[in-house]
Amino acid sequence: MKFMAIIPARYASTRFPGKPLAMLGGKPVVQWVYEKASSVFDIVAVATDDKRISDTVSAFGGRAIITSPHHRSGTDRVREAHMLSGENADVIVNIQGDEPFVDPSQLMALKSCFDYPETDIATLVRPFKGSYEELSDPNKVKVVCDDQGFALYFSRSVIPYVRGTEKNEWPSQAAYHLHIGLYGYRAEILERVAGMPPSPLEIAESLEQLRWLQAGLRIRTAQTNISTIGIDTPADLEAARRQIEKQEL
């Protein structure tokens, strides 16, 4: 099976313009992601609509593919990049360009989901350990799965609901999992989802993966115990720098 990793990276960002080029431990954030991906996948490319990012990727020896600036989502950008690449991969893996601490073991786990022919899309989940207050954060997306590891539903609300129990006891009464936004798609499925209009469930929760579930696609999950730091704001970058310093001690 032929895998291709594509890293969508935009310069424009409301909260942190230019974040793929922000320096972290002596190299740009996007280079961290590229090098992690290259340790697992033979074919890796950055999909971007910005020449500054393209030039930076080329400067460190990476491959960049210029895509349209008009995409609604990273998924659409990844689909165009695969089409332009000419690689004809069986599976395309979408690794966000602002995840410098993505771990190779996570990428291997994602790949393993495609050992199952019924898998249309693959993603990662992490067991949650913490308080109900943390769990109820709507920015932490929760997921419930069936016995085979296929996602049943994703939500910003706390799922499952534990009936007859005080909410602060819920984390000790049920197994909760948080979603990690790494995705792999079979090539024909990527083509299909790129053309799908937003679904009612997606609009309600502002979660793209609900569009795919509502369309009947099967999303297989793999577990990881690793928590990553995404770079969404300058404060996140500072947290990432502290993490790098800690690793170097």
Side-chain angles (χ1 to χ4, degrees):
M1 188 175 291
K2 184 178 180 181
F3 287 83
M4 179 179 186
I6 299 179
I7 304 165
R10 294 173 62 247
Y11 190 91
S13 170
T14 303
R15 291 188 289 177
F16 193 177
K19 63 182 178 179
L21 302 184
M23 297 303 292
L24 176 64
K27 53 190 174 185
V29 167
V30 70
Q31 185 174 350
W32 283 88
V33 184
Y34 195 98
E35 290 173 354
K36 295 289 184 66
S38 297
S39 71
V40 174
F41 300 101
D42 293 330
I43 308 170
V44 181
V46 172
T48 185
D49 59 359
D50 193 276
K51 188 175 185 299
R52 289 164 289 189
I53 294 175
S54 175
D55 288 347
T56 297
V57 172
S58 297
F60 66 69
R63 177 183 182 185
I65 298 173
I66 295 292
T67 57
S68 167
H70 303 300
H71 289 304
R72 296 176 302 170
S73 68
T75 306
D76 293 338
R77 192 176 307 283
V78 165
R79 178 252 179 197
E80 185 194 3
H82 175 242
M83 180 185 68
L84 293 174
S85 74
E87 294 291 351
N88 295 316
D90 299 299
V91 173
I92 298 93
V93 176
N94 178 346
I95 308 171
Q96 294 302 313
D98 57 6
E99 290 279 356
F101 296 109
V102 63
D103 193 271
S105 68
Q106 295 176 310
L107 301 178
M108 291 297 295
L110 197 72
K111 285 181 69 174
S112 72
C113 291
F114 292 96
D115 293 341
Y116 302 88
E118 62 269 40
T119 300
D120 294 316
I121 299 170
T123 193
L124 298 181
V125 299
R126 178 171 63 85
F128 173 81
K129 301 296 181 186
S131 68
Y132 177 82
E133 184 179 6
E134 294 173 278
L135 185 64
S136 62
D137 181 349
N139 293 314
K140 289 182 169 65
V141 177
K142 279 65 73 173
V143 57
V144 290
C145 301
D146 68 15
D147 291 343
Q148 285 72 49
F150 285 95
L152 294 170
Y153 195 73
F154 298 84
S155 184
R156 297 186 184 278
S157 297
V158 178
I159 53 174
Y161 179 97
V162 184
R163 186 176 180 182
T165 303
E166 293 292 329
K167 288 183 176 180
N168 61 1
E169 297 294 327
W170 286 12
S172 64
Q173 299 298 314
Y176 289 94
H177 292 85
L178 303 182
H179 179 231
I180 294 176
L182 282 169
Y183 294 105
Y185 312 82
R186 294 194 189 276
E188 65 274 16
I189 297 298
L190 180 59
E191 287 295 317
R192 180 178 166 189
V193 301
M196 285 181 183
S199 74
L201 288 175
E202 174 190 3
I203 293 168
E205 297 233 26
S206 190
L207 294 173
E208 187 180 21
Q209 60 270 42
L210 292 178
R211 181 192 315 184
W212 312 330
L213 278 184
Q214 195 163 1
L217 297 177
R218 304 204 70 193
I219 304 176
R220 191 174 185 93
T221 67
Q223 283 200 23
T224 177
N225 290 312
I226 299 171
S227 179
T228 59
I229 300 175
I231 311 295
D232 290 321
T233 66
D236 293 334
L237 181 64
E238 290 307 312
R241 285 171 174 160
R242 290 193 295 271
Q243 181 71 15
I244 291 290
E245 291 169 1
K246 189 184 302 181
Q247 291 174 355
E248 291 176 347
L249 291 178

